[in-house]
Amino acid sequence: METNNEIQAYREAILKAMLDRKDPEDGYPLILEKDARELLAHLTDQELADGMLFNTPEEVADILMEI
């Protein structure tokens, strides 16, 4: 079972992956931090813990940004 610290680290890694996405043409971020945090807030700690075994933070960021 994942600890709260592991889940928080995973959540922060997802946030970083979202914020690292840049528009290839102009280099601007594809999402604002406020918006990224809002999307990420939709995932509960339990949902993140369940997904940690199967999805990298980058994969979760991709899924969230498709919404």
Side-chain angles (χ1 to χ4, degrees):
M1 182 170 179
E2 288 75 19
T3 67
N4 285 341
N5 287 341
E6 290 171 320
I7 294 168
Q8 186 58 34
Y10 187 62
R11 187 180 293 277
E12 289 299 317
I14 294 166
L15 178 64
K16 181 182 180 321
M18 291 171 71
L19 297 176
D20 285 348
R21 302 289 196 293
K22 307 285 188 230
D23 184 300
E25 291 185 23
D26 60 22
Y28 288 109
L30 292 177
I31 191 167
L32 298 173
E33 183 172 349
K34 174 185 170 281
D35 297 331
R37 287 188 183 278
E38 265 183 37
L39 284 174
L40 194 51
H42 290 283
L43 296 176
T44 66
D45 285 353
Q46 185 59 53
E47 289 170 325
L48 290 173
D50 293 344
M52 288 174 74
L53 299 173
F54 306 105
N55 300 296
T56 67
E58 293 77 18
E59 291 170 332
V60 177
D62 288 341
I63 293 166
L64 289 173
M65 291 187 68
E66 287 176 6
I67 295 174

